């Protein structure tokens, strides 16, 4: 495998792992002093469900790049209006909402596109 093919192979995978780790950081909100340790751990696991789903999708994309790329792109695009609406209702700040979408959704759209590009590049 050529060096540029290796780079194109690894970039979406590493970028996806980093994006999943970033999403996982939000699970730390589940720890609060008013709850028992078991309630906090239960809430923590519940908050990690999106990370578990995204990790399963990464495993799928690792094997079938085209399918995984389409799924990641659709996830990133599909959730944009929901996240925008939720944040806009909380802050009433357009630029804040756009920055949140850029941080949360855009990495998965980019990962999906990179998986698709890598699939077609390897197919040649």
């Amino acid at each position: 495998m050529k060096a540029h093919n290796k780079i194109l192979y690894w970039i979406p995978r590493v970028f996806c792992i980093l994006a999943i780790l970033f999403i996982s950081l939000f699970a730390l909100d589940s720890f609060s002093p008013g709850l028992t340790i078991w309630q906090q751990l239960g809430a923590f696991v519940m908050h990690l469900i999106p990370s578990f789903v995204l990790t399963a999708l990464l495993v799928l994309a690792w094997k079938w790049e085209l399918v995984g790329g389409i799924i990641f792109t659709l996830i990133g695009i599909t959730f944009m209006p929901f996240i925008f609406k939720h944040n806009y209702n909380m802050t009433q700040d357009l630029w804040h909402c756009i920055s949140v979408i850029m941080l949360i959704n855009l990495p998965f759209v980019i990962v999906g596109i990179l998986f698709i590009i890598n699939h077609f590049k390897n197919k040649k």
Side-chain angles (χ1 to χ4, degrees):
M1 188 182 279
K2 295 180 182 175
H4 68 286
N5 287 345
K6 283 183 180 181
I7 291 170
L8 188 58
Y9 178 84
W10 283 106
I11 284 176
R13 288 154 175 83
V14 171
F15 196 41
C16 189
I17 290 168
L18 292 173
I20 292 169
L21 289 173
F22 177 71
I23 295 294
S24 299
L25 287 175
F26 296 110
L28 295 173
D29 285 348
S30 62
F31 294 105
S32 62
L35 301 174
T36 67
I37 187 69
W38 295 111
Q39 290 172 324
Q40 291 179 36
L41 288 176
F44 182 66
V45 171
M46 292 288 287
H47 281 78
L48 283 176
I49 289 174
S51 298
F52 296 147
V53 171
L54 290 168
T55 302
L57 291 175
L58 175 60
V59 170
L60 177 101
W62 209 296
K63 181 127 177 109
W64 297 290
E65 291 178 326
L66 181 62
V67 174
I70 291 169
I71 291 172
F72 274 120
T73 304
L74 288 175
I75 284 174
I77 292 171
T78 303
F79 284 105
M80 279 183 187
F82 300 108
I83 292 175
F84 178 86
K85 184 176 188 256
H86 174 74
N87 281 294
Y88 190 76
N89 289 339
M90 286 182 4
T91 64
Q92 303 293 315
D93 183 8
L94 179 66
W95 293 110
H96 178 264
C97 297
I98 291 173
S99 65
V100 168
I101 286 175
M102 300 275 283
L103 281 170
I104 295 176
N105 295 79
L106 193 59
F108 294 106
V109 174
I110 292 170
V111 163
I113 291 169
L114 288 172
F115 271 121
I116 292 168
I117 289 170
N118 195 38
H119 167 76
F120 285 112
K121 188 160 178 88
N122 287 337
K123 199 172 184 180
K124 289 184 180 180

